[in-house]
Amino acid sequence: MTDHEKGHPGEEEPMPPPALSAHHPLQDVTHLLSGAGTAIPLFKVHMPENVLEPISKVLMSGYVGQGPAVEAFERALVPWFGNENVLSVNSGTSALTLALRLANVGFGDEVISTAMTCTATNVPILAMGAKIVWADIDPMTGNIDPLDVERKITERTKAIMAVHWGGYPCDLDGLNRVGRKYGIRIIEDAAHAFGATYHGRPVGSHSDFVCFSFQAIKHLTTVDGGALVCRDTESYKRGKLLRWYGIDRDSERKDFRCEEDVLEYGYKFHMNDVNATIGLEQLAHVGEVLRRHRENATYYRDRFQELPGVKLLDYRTDREGSYWLFTIRVPGRRTFMQAMKNAGITVSQVHARNDHHTMFKEFRRILPGVDQFIAEQVSIPVGWWLTEEQREFVADCVVRLCQ
Ligand SMILES: Cc1ncc(COP(=O)(O)O)c(C=O)c1O
């Protein structure tokens, strides 16, 4: 090409717009979805169209950090948790880490925890330099057993970590009784349990620390995000500092981030106004999302009650789960999972037992409840996205395979 053809000598050639290559982030993501766009999914992102207007306002406002939307989101969460002391954070894992820190868990301490969960529950315990002591679970709920927790207490126990499997609340009375008796803090990992209730009060209002996740596929998503709810105001105030390096964002500073003495180290765990704006819009829908999960679960429980090849989990009337998962126990799980897959239905064990991971090998012990649960547990689609026909189809397949 001559200079003439290119334009005037010395004139910059305009850059062509970048082509959408196969590696562009906007490429088709169907294959990454639960169900890969063909099978009935086990999870689905709930993203209402009405996030678009407020989100573009925030993005173009010139301020996208922790600001008024974060403040508003935290206030809007208060009735859902039945607790004023809400700290939004950038993930459920951050909430768990912050809770352990606020419970003063440190090097060499012991934390009693459950193996039946996402690794995100237990990795932060290792990150504190603490030791994990596994307590067994109730094989008919997947939740930690307070009686076994009490048996595992030593003078080094600093905290008890409980997970509400699939969103079905643990025996919080039993756990808090043990916590009070020995002066040990209870941390609830309520990542699955947004909107669940126990004795008619929301999960969030029962223990020292309750951690939520607003990750992509939870009932309420902020894309990524989470919340820590603290029982006492002292922990809340300290948590507010530690979620942002230990610096007090509320104090008057003459020169941006300077001047304040930082008393103890913290983290970069705060939420920002972009995620919080999504959260605020989601809150208008989450009641309906929960209603749909619960309605589908009630339908399955009715359909599977008398089914010989399925063990339904235990459901008590003093608590209401959020049914993030609908887990059943199926003795011939492998064949069952393959048959469901062949029928175009996504099913999964969702979480592997944590105690068998190499990173936790030094803490291994005998856990008969986990053994029983892990051998048979499998979750079937229960979420808001199911049509009545799909729900009936899922139930029909389970009945056909398990009678
Ligand atoms: C039981 C449990 N705890 C903690 C987490 C971590 O939450 P996040 O992904 O928001 O860090 C998850 C994530 O899905 C989870 O399922």
Side-chain angles (χ1 to χ4, degrees), residues 91-94 96 117-118 120-121 163 189 191-192 213-215 218 224-225 324 351:
S91 74
T93 310
S94 299
L96 289 160
T117 184
C118 176
T121 309
V163 176
D189 178 342
H192 299 177
S213 164
F214 305 138
Q215 170 266 349
K218 297 300 184 325
D224 259 319
W324 184 62
H351 298 308

Side-chain angles (χ1 to χ4, degrees), residues 356-402:
H356 283 184
H357 289 307
T358 304
M359 67 177 157
F360 300 126
K361 68 176 184 303
E362 65 185 284
F363 312 123
R364 278 220 193 166
R365 55 175 71 212
I366 293 164
L367 299 168
V370 175
D371 294 343
Q372 280 179 52
F373 188 73
I374 202 71
E376 298 180 344
Q377 70 93 6
V378 56
S379 293
I380 62 173
V382 72
W384 57 270
W385 55 90
L386 292 181
T387 63
E388 280 190 22
E389 293 72 35
Q390 285 177 326
R391 178 177 81 180
E392 194 178 333
F393 176 65
V394 173
D396 286 348
C397 287
V398 174
V399 170
R400 181 170 49 79
L401 294 165
C402 299

Side-chain angles (χ1 to χ4, degrees), residues 68-269:
V70 168
E71 183 79 20
F73 183 44
E74 286 177 350
R75 290 305 95 207
L77 286 169
V78 166
W80 284 96
F81 300 151
N83 189 327
E84 287 283 328
N85 298 327
V86 179
L87 290 168
S88 62
V89 286
N90 56 5
S91 74
T93 310
S94 299
L96 289 160
T97 307
L98 202 50
L100 288 161
R101 181 78 190 285
L102 294 173
N104 295 317
V105 172
F107 192 79
D109 290 334
E110 290 177 0
V111 176
I112 299 175
S113 186
T114 171
M116 226 30 263
T117 184
C118 176
T119 47
T121 309
N122 292 310
V123 165
I125 303 175
L126 288 193
M128 291 290 155
K131 295 182 182 348
I132 298 174
V133 178
W134 303 117
D136 208 358
I137 60 163
D138 174 349
M140 292 318 294
T141 62
N143 287 343
I144 200 163
D145 172 7
L147 294 177
D148 200 44
V149 167
E150 187 163 9
R151 285 193 282 270
K152 303 279 167 69
I153 284 175
T154 72
E155 68 278 7
R156 289 185 300 281
T157 310
K158 256 304 177 34
I160 295 163
M161 180 73 86
V163 176
H164 307 298
W165 176 270
Y168 180 75
C170 294
D171 178 356
L172 290 173
D173 282 352
L175 290 167
N176 277 292
R177 184 187 53 75
V178 175
R180 273 195 306 275
K181 185 168 163 189
Y182 297 93
I184 295 167
R185 307 278 213 135
I186 307 291
I187 302 172
E188 290 174 43
D189 178 342
H192 299 177
F194 186 93
T197 61
Y198 183 82
H199 291 330
R201 283 191 289 120
V203 164
S205 60
H206 297 273
S207 302
D208 299 300
F209 303 105
V210 190
C211 304
F212 293 89
S213 164
F214 305 138
Q215 170 266 349
I217 53 173
K218 297 300 184 325
H219 293 96
L220 185 152
T221 179
T222 58
V223 177
D224 259 319
L228 168 64
V229 188
C230 305
R231 173 179 274 157
D232 67 281
T233 317
E234 284 311 301
S235 296
Y236 166 74
K237 285 184 182 159
R238 184 173 168 224
K240 208 168 184 182
L241 297 179
L242 296 194
R243 80 170 162 185
W244 200 63
Y245 303 119
I247 299 174
D248 185 356
R249 291 173 73 96
D250 298 333
S251 74
E252 286 285 325
R253 266 176 263 120
K254 292 199 192 88
D255 183 10
F256 198 44
R257 292 174 189 176
C258 313
E259 295 186 46
E260 281 294 315
D261 182 25
V262 179
L263 301 176
E264 58 172 334
Y265 82 91
Y267 311 90
K268 189 171 191 284
F269 282 173

